[in-house]
Amino acid sequence: MQLYRAHVLVCAGTGCTSSNSLKIMDEMEALLASNGLDSEVKIVKTGCFGLCAEGPIVVVYPEGAMYTRVEVSDVKEIVEEHLLKGRIVKRLLAGEKESEDISKSLEGVDFFNRQMRIALRNCGRINPEDINEYIAFDGYKALENVLTEMTPEAVIDEMKKSGLRGRGGGGFPTGMKWDFAAKQTADQKYVCCNADEGDPGAFMDRSVLEGDPHSVIEAMSIAGFAIGATQGYIYVRAEYPIAVKRLQLAIDQAIEYGILGDNVLGTGHKFNLEIRLGAGAFVCGEETALMTSIEGHRGEPRPRPPFPAVKGLWGKPTILNNVETYANVPVIILKGAEWFSGIGTEKSKGTKVFALGGKINNTGLVEVPMGTTLREVVYDIGGGIPKGKKFKAAQTGGPSGGCIPASHLDTPIDYDSLIALGSMMGSGGLIVMDEDNCMVDIAKFFLEFTVDESCGKCPPCRIGTKRMLEILERITEGKGAAGDIEMLELLAKNIKASALCGLGQTAPNPILSTLRYFRDEYEAHVFDKKCPAGVCKSMMKYTVDETKCKSCGICAKVCPMSCIKGEKKVPYVIDNSKCAKCGVCMEKCPFKAISKG
């Protein structure tokens, strides 16, 4: 076994890969060889570190120096200064580059030291394409313990005691779901993993599969033992090519090592695993639609009951959990249910992974204990709002969730608190909005997505969401009328109560939550024909402040529509009937005399 004096970890997740991290690895490999360091320094391809806004990311150990926004041209300096001479390249370190008290390691970066990583424990830490690295970090030890020291009943009891709830949206107790399936008598049972992840802005499950695929394989095998299933399926969207590649490689390695197959670890336990690719239909995130798709049919939900634990895939007892839920299982087995249940709140145990995006400085992947406040996530971890703008709202749960206003920034993030606010945990998307966002437009954006993704099977979702979208389109175009807001509420409540599956039942959430907290914006659109945030173009007007205008004519010269007129020593005027609402005039005016509203 070769020993190295330094390890260079390079993020090879989707985000950093798209920013040339693989070319950075190639350049580093070539320079290490040319400097005679290839036998002393090892390059490790890892999954996502989480701080996606600062990628590509390179971390050098043993110092733990985290270099951000690394370019291929920076590699020579890292090799020659840090790896050859032992001098850290300060200008590339994570943190405020101009600060004297600069962070020298990722442990000193607020984004990381305020997190608690359980599901993401190995992401950015190991090479996901090497099963030996997973094993070196206690990988498959939980499976071995389960198969040699525990009964199926004991495994399920441990999951119940842990308080682990489904991380895919509904938050159903995992141990209870496994128990239902275990009690069924059948010649075949199945274990399924939902890795479809269709929420806009969500990339939690993708990152786990890219950075730690073996944790999901291990957990699914444990689940198979617990309920008496011998076959598993991972349903992952085809738009995740890196995740699919690494997942298949991990499955092949597990088979080679005797961890999957007809005699797992020589214990007689049988468990096989296959990947099924999804075509990107959001409705296939719903468990019965997902199973219908695995069976080879068009992904449409089925009425429940019977629930999948009784009659699921091909009519057999089936459990379905998402990637993040499974990622917690091996740790719970190794450290114990009591340890896990000691994290979080009374009814929401453990941690939760969020894909933090939108108007936030530190875009990326975060994992925090349940009960952490929204303020802590947005400001302490996320670094606050860019350009000093005011926080306006956060959308949790994607199209199925709702908007949480600034007045509830100190709300603890857990299942029950979010539902009480008219939102939901969902799979973990967290989109931050600032004062420049129009909440009516936000509701329309999410509803457009839902309408487009509806499978069309039930009328409430197929027709009702379309009618709501038509009303929102009228309102944002300045054509709203008295009664539109009330009709929106009525439709939303009826759809929520009558749609067949979770997609339709939660589709009205963005509308109901924005009406609850930002009704004044709806009323301004309908009655004043004005968008307070200046987002809805049909109601947008550009005006010239006569006291600031110097009649320089720059605005008229850059206007693509030639709708700005004026004379020397006379303030210019904008003809909004011809204006394209491009904003170039406001951007170019050197005296800040033009505003929109």
Side-chain angles (χ1 to χ4, degrees):
M1 179 180 176
Q2 186 170 351
L3 299 177
Y4 297 89
R5 68 172 175 85
H7 288 76
V8 179
L9 278 59
V10 182
C11 175
T14 293
C16 287
T17 298
S18 67
S19 300
N20 294 324
S21 66
L22 297 184
K23 290 184 179 179
I24 289 171
M25 290 182 66
D26 292 339
E27 180 71 4
M28 177 123 0
E29 188 175 322
L31 288 174
L32 287 176
S34 64
N35 282 278
L37 297 174
D38 49 334
S39 61
E40 299 179 32
V41 180
K42 182 178 181 180
I43 301 174
V44 180
K45 178 196 292 185
T46 74
C48 178
F49 286 95
L51 190 53
C52 303
E54 295 294 311
I57 291 176
V58 174
V59 179
V60 180
Y61 285 101
E63 297 87 353
M66 184 176 206
Y67 296 127
T68 59
R69 301 197 181 190
V70 178
E71 298 181 7
V72 175
S73 58
D74 296 321
V75 176
K76 184 178 180 181
E77 186 176 1
I78 294 173
V79 171
E80 293 181 353
E81 290 296 313
H82 190 157
L83 298 174
L84 197 59
K85 301 176 183 177
R87 297 192 294 224
I88 291 176
V89 184
K90 290 185 177 182
R91 70 176 184 86
L92 294 174
L93 285 175
E96 296 294 332
K97 304 295 188 291
E98 67 275 9
S99 171
E100 292 182 5
D101 184 26
I102 193 166
S103 299
K104 290 190 176 182
S105 70
L106 58 87
E107 286 80 9
V109 179
D110 284 346
F111 182 83
F112 294 102
N113 62 29
R114 295 176 183 273
Q115 296 187 46
M116 182 177 187
R117 295 194 153 204
I118 297 177
L120 299 178
R121 62 193 176 277
N122 290 327
C123 292
R125 192 181 182 196
I126 65 171
N127 180 353
E129 297 181 7
D130 187 348
I131 189 174
N132 294 305
E133 293 205 12
Y134 179 70
I135 291 172
F137 284 90
D138 291 332
Y140 292 113
K141 185 177 181 181
L143 177 61
E144 181 186 19
N145 290 353
V146 163
L147 298 181
T148 59
E149 301 175 9
M150 301 176 74
T151 64
E153 294 76 16
V155 174
I156 292 173
D157 188 52
E158 195 73 1
M159 298 310 299
K160 286 182 177 179
K161 289 178 181 177
S162 74
L164 176 66
R165 295 172 63 174
R167 300 304 199 240
F172 192 81
T174 303
M176 190 178 298
K177 179 183 286 188
W178 291 16
D179 191 29
F180 288 154
K183 290 178 178 177
Q184 305 304 312
T185 302
D187 58 346
Q188 180 66 58
K189 296 180 183 180
Y190 297 102
V191 173
C192 291
C193 175
N194 180 357
D196 189 58
E197 195 172 47
D199 290 11
F203 49 95
M204 300 78 60
D205 292 350
R206 184 196 74 200
S207 296
V208 173
L209 291 179
E210 289 179 353
D212 192 19
H214 285 283
S215 65
V216 177
I217 294 172
E218 181 175 17
M220 292 182 71
S221 187
I222 291 171
F225 174 77
I227 73 166
T230 58
Q231 179 66 47
Y233 293 97
I234 302 178
Y235 187 87
V236 56
R237 54 180 44 215
E239 291 98 324
Y240 286 176
I242 296 176
V244 172
K245 174 188 172 183
R246 291 181 184 164
L247 190 55
Q248 187 59 60
L249 179 61
I251 290 173
D252 293 341
Q253 291 174 343
I255 292 172
E256 181 184 349
Y257 276 56
I259 293 168
L260 288 176
D262 294 339
N263 187 22
V264 175
L265 297 177
T267 63
H269 171 54
K270 178 180 178 181
F271 191 75
N272 293 293
L273 196 57
E274 296 179 30
I275 297 173
R276 289 291 183 268
L277 298 182
F282 183 62
V283 72
C284 287
E286 195 276 337
E287 59 180 1
T288 61
L290 183 151
M291 293 176 195
T292 302
S293 182
I294 289 178
E295 292 171 352
H297 306 296
R298 186 173 186 267
E300 291 182 334
R302 307 166 183 167
R304 298 176 302 174
F307 291 93
V310 177
K311 187 177 181 182
L313 200 57
W314 289 294
K316 304 295 184 179
T318 306
I319 60 167
L320 174 73
N321 292 111
N322 83 326
V323 171
E324 186 186 343
T325 309
Y326 282 125
N328 282 284
V329 171
V331 189
I332 292 172
I333 296 297
L334 287 179
K335 294 192 175 184
E338 187 175 341
W339 169 81
F340 187 83
S341 64
I343 304 165
T345 65
E346 183 181 354
K347 295 183 179 179
S348 299
K349 305 296 185 181
T351 58
K352 182 71 189 79
V353 180
F354 290 98
L356 193 57
K359 305 287 186 69
I360 191 81
N361 282 312
N362 296 334
T363 301
L365 208 61
V366 305
E367 183 173 2
V368 294
M370 293 280 195
T372 301
T373 66
L374 186 58
R375 185 185 299 276
E376 290 176 85
V377 173
V378 172
Y379 287 97
D380 296 341
I381 298 174
I385 317 299
K387 299 178 181 179
K389 296 281 187 177
K390 294 180 180 178
F391 172 88
K392 188 172 189 176
Q395 172 88 3
T396 65
S400 302
C403 294
I404 302 171
S407 58
H408 290 290
L409 256 175
D410 292 309
T411 296
I413 300 175
D414 59 49
Y415 291 101
D416 300 324
S417 296
L418 294 184
I419 290 174
L421 293 177
S423 187
M424 64 184 293
M425 186 77 72
S427 57
L430 203 163
I431 309 298
V432 178
M433 289 159 273
D434 68 10
E435 58 194 85
D436 293 332
N437 285 106
C438 169
M439 302 312 294
V440 184
D441 183 65
I442 290 293
K444 185 180 75 169
F445 167 80
F446 282 109
L447 193 61
E448 284 173 336
F449 178 84
T450 305
V451 168
D452 189 54
E453 292 293 338
S454 173
C455 74
K457 185 172 184 177
C458 74
C461 185
R462 182 181 70 246
I463 302 172
T465 56
K466 182 67 174 174
R467 295 292 86 84
M468 284 197 298
L469 180 58
E470 289 169 354
I471 295 173
L472 282 177
E473 287 173 340
R474 287 203 306 270
I475 291 175
T476 54
E477 290 170 4
K479 300 174 184 177
D484 277 349
I485 296 175
E486 290 73 18
M487 179 56 71
L488 264 179
E489 281 186 304
L490 180 62
L491 282 169
K493 291 174 181 177
N494 286 339
I495 294 168
K496 196 173 181 68
S498 58
L500 175 62
C501 79
L503 184 147
Q505 292 162 8
T506 58
N509 284 350
I511 292 173
L512 290 172
S513 65
T514 50
L515 278 171
R516 178 177 176 181
Y517 299 114
F518 302 98
R519 196 181 190 92
D520 58 324
E521 290 197 26
Y522 281 85
E523 292 172 346
H525 281 70
V526 172
F527 301 113
D528 301 333
K529 306 302 178 187
K530 182 179 180 181
C531 175
V535 171
C536 300
K537 287 189 175 182
S538 297
M539 289 176 279
M540 191 186 300
K541 291 183 180 180
Y542 285 85
T543 56
V544 178
D545 186 336
E546 296 182 0
T547 63
K548 294 182 180 179
C549 180
K550 304 300 181 183
S551 306
C552 65
I554 292 177
C555 58
K557 290 177 183 178
V558 299
C559 178
M561 305 304 293
S562 300
C563 64
I564 304 178
K565 305 294 181 183
E567 301 174 9
K568 288 184 178 181
K569 297 183 180 181
V570 177
Y572 276 55
V573 177
I574 301 174
D575 183 352
N576 277 283
S577 65
K578 298 178 182 178
C579 179
K581 312 296 191 293
C582 65
V584 176
C585 59
M586 186 171 71
E587 179 185 338
K588 297 295 183 181
C589 177
F591 307 106
K592 307 298 180 185
I594 300 175
S595 60
K596 67 177 181 179

